[in-house]
């Protein structure tokens, strides 16, 4: 199946731990993103990579570090987790700048709960 | 910062009725997109309308864009219970480092 797949789907962890979320797309897209959706469903972009190059880095604590080993993968590592990091994290992909005229394809999300 | 503002925040209609959702935005855009999110799921792209387009159709969906008023509307005709979801408008801004910025979303409930 062509898709954006992210793992794990659920992640429950204690404050202070370090965790990673992985994302892979097999759509041939060249740009990948991380979005955070809070409890009020507000979606905010965190990072964007184009062909392994970081192009968007919003005001995100430096405890969050994205890594893109190739254009089909974008992982998110979070150090020293805090209660406020609890949210649903979505990976998405697209062709660069929507030039192809298509929207973003989203993964199914990772629900992170910090206790 | 948030770009799109959807209106209303919640909408409840009877199956078979039409649902109209509005979105306003603040800056210049390259295109505007609508997404659907079912409970506990990811977002699904519904339709994209470019800044030089005024209206677009896709199945039961009709999107309009008024760049002079910086607003868009999404019309779902002959709604079905399966249309129950949250709907988001998202704007893709012009300029360098363009990005897709989402509104707060509209919760649509379609009663069988």
């Amino acid at each position: 199946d062509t898709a954006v797949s992210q793992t794990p789907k659920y992640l429950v962890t204690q404050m202070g731990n370090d965790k990673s979320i992985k994302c892979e797309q097999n759509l041939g897209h060249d740009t990948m993103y991380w979005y955070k959706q809070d409890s009020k469903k507000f979606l905010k972009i965190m990072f964007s990579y184009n062909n392994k190059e970081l192009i968007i880095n919003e005001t995100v604590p430096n405890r969050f570090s994205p890594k893109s080993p190739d254009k089909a993968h974008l992982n998110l590592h979070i150090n020293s987790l805090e209660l406020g990091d609890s949210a649903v994290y979505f990976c998405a992909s697209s062709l660069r700048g929507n030039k192809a005229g298509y929207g973003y394809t989203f993964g199914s999300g990772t629900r992170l709960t910090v206790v | 910062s948030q770009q799109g503002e959807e209106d209303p925040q919640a909408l409840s209609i009877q199956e078979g009725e039409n649902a109209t959702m509005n979105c306003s935005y603040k800056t210049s855009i390259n295109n505007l997109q609508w997404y659907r999110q079912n409970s506990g799921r990811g977002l699904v792209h519904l339709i994209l309308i470019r800044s030089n387009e005024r209206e677009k159709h896709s199945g039961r969906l009709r999107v309009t864009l008024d760049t002079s008023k910086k607003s868009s509307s999404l019309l779902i005709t002959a709604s079905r219970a399966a249309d129950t979801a949250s709907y988001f408008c998202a704007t893709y801004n012009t300029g360098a480092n363009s990005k897709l910025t989402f509104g707060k979303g509209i919760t649509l409930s379609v009663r069988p």
Side-chain angles (χ1 to χ4, degrees):
Chain A
D1 288 343
T2 53
V4 177
S5 55
Q6 52 182 111
T7 56
K9 191 168 174 62
Y10 300 97
L11 190 50
V12 181
T13 187
Q14 290 188 324
M15 270 189 347
N17 284 351
D18 304 337
K19 290 293 178 186
S20 292
I21 307 172
K22 295 186 176 182
C23 180
E24 176 182 2
Q25 57 93 5
N26 61 2
L27 298 163
H29 290 166
D30 58 3
T31 308
M32 297 184 72
Y33 314 84
W34 280 110
Y35 277 82
K36 178 181 179 181
Q37 186 173 44
D38 64 21
S39 58
K40 295 182 180 179
K41 293 191 177 179
F42 178 52
L43 272 154
K44 184 171 167 56
I45 189 167
M46 300 172 69
F47 302 103
S48 174
Y49 271 76
N50 174 252
N51 284 324
K52 302 194 296 178
E53 179 188 349
L54 181 66
I55 56 172
I56 292 175
N57 184 354
E58 292 291 287
T59 309
V60 176
N62 57 15
R63 298 181 294 103
F64 290 78
S65 53
K67 279 189 174 52
S68 182
D70 56 60
K71 71 175 187 178
H73 295 83
L74 179 61
N75 304 322
L76 183 65
H77 187 75
I78 315 170
N79 289 326
S80 304
L81 278 155
E82 300 177 357
L83 293 177
D85 297 332
S86 296
V88 182
Y89 292 83
F90 285 100
C91 177
S93 70
S94 76
L95 289 168
R96 172 74 165 133
N98 280 347
K99 284 182 181 176
Y102 298 103
Y104 290 12
T105 303
F106 280 79
S108 56
T110 295
R111 182 173 294 276
L112 171 65
T113 304
V114 183
V115 297
Chain B
S1 62
Q2 187 181 331
Q3 166 76 309
E5 291 269 355
E6 292 97 338
D7 167 56
Q9 290 192 333
L11 182 61
S12 181
I13 60 174
Q14 200 74 33
E15 204 166 27
E17 292 179 340
N18 295 341
T20 299
M21 291 169 269
N22 302 302
C23 170
S24 60
Y25 58 92
K26 296 173 184 171
T27 63
S28 295
I29 62 170
N30 176 289
N31 64 66
L32 184 144
Q33 306 176 29
W34 285 90
Y35 287 78
R36 183 187 73 229
Q37 185 179 31
N38 290 86
S39 181
R41 306 292 291 274
L43 285 84
V44 174
H45 178 252
L46 295 176
I47 197 163
L48 180 154
I49 186 164
R50 299 191 181 284
S51 60
N52 60 355
E53 297 175 313
R54 292 296 166 258
E55 187 170 314
K56 210 161 179 181
H57 296 255
S58 176
R60 294 184 297 114
L61 305 180
R62 172 177 165 252
V63 170
T64 61
L65 179 64
D66 186 334
T67 52
S68 66
K69 295 181 179 177
K70 290 187 165 61
S71 67
S72 171
S73 67
L74 172 68
L75 169 67
I76 303 174
T77 59
S79 64
R80 305 166 181 169
D83 295 328
T84 295
S86 292
Y87 291 81
F88 294 85
C89 81
T91 52
Y92 193 77
N93 60 295
T94 54
N97 295 328
S98 298
K99 59 188 179 186
L100 195 64
T101 304
F102 286 80
K104 291 181 180 176
I106 298 169
T107 301
L108 173 66
S109 298
V110 182
R111 303 185 301 274

